[in-house]
Amino acid sequence: MSYDDGISQDIRLIEILNRYGLKATFNLNSGLFGQQRILQVRGVPVHHNRLKAEDVRSVYLNFSRPYRALL
């Protein structure tokens, strides 16, 4: 599985993946770290907050590709 984002909801997704022993690749854009937005999904506001750069390593540790700092 592969995901593009680096948003705070990835923390919950990672908990689910870990529970079932699944691996994933997360594609992150370091230029977006720390940004906060609210999106409208079917008229409902959804927080779309990017993880902070200092949190990335601990959140994505142990997935299919090792963390590599691009900063």
Side-chain angles (χ1 to χ4, degrees):
M1 286 185 266
S2 177
Y3 296 91
D4 293 328
D5 254 343
I7 59 173
S8 59
Q9 288 92 335
D10 286 356
I11 295 169
R12 175 74 178 120
L13 176 59
I14 289 168
E15 290 172 358
I16 294 168
L17 294 171
N18 283 336
R19 181 181 316 134
Y20 294 100
L22 301 172
K23 296 286 183 184
T25 298
F26 290 85
N27 302 294
L28 308 176
N29 181 338
S30 61
L32 300 176
F33 290 161
Q35 291 185 2
Q36 298 185 1
R37 297 188 312 168
I38 297 178
L39 304 175
Q40 293 289 324
V41 179
R42 295 185 203 117
V44 177
V46 177
H47 290 275
H48 193 76
N49 301 327
R50 303 285 178 160
L51 294 168
K52 295 177 183 173
E54 60 268 18
D55 297 329
V56 170
R57 184 179 188 109
S58 64
V59 169
Y60 296 103
L61 195 63
N62 297 322
F63 277 87
S64 62
R65 292 190 180 172
Y67 169 78
R68 212 173 107 209
L70 299 176
L71 302 175

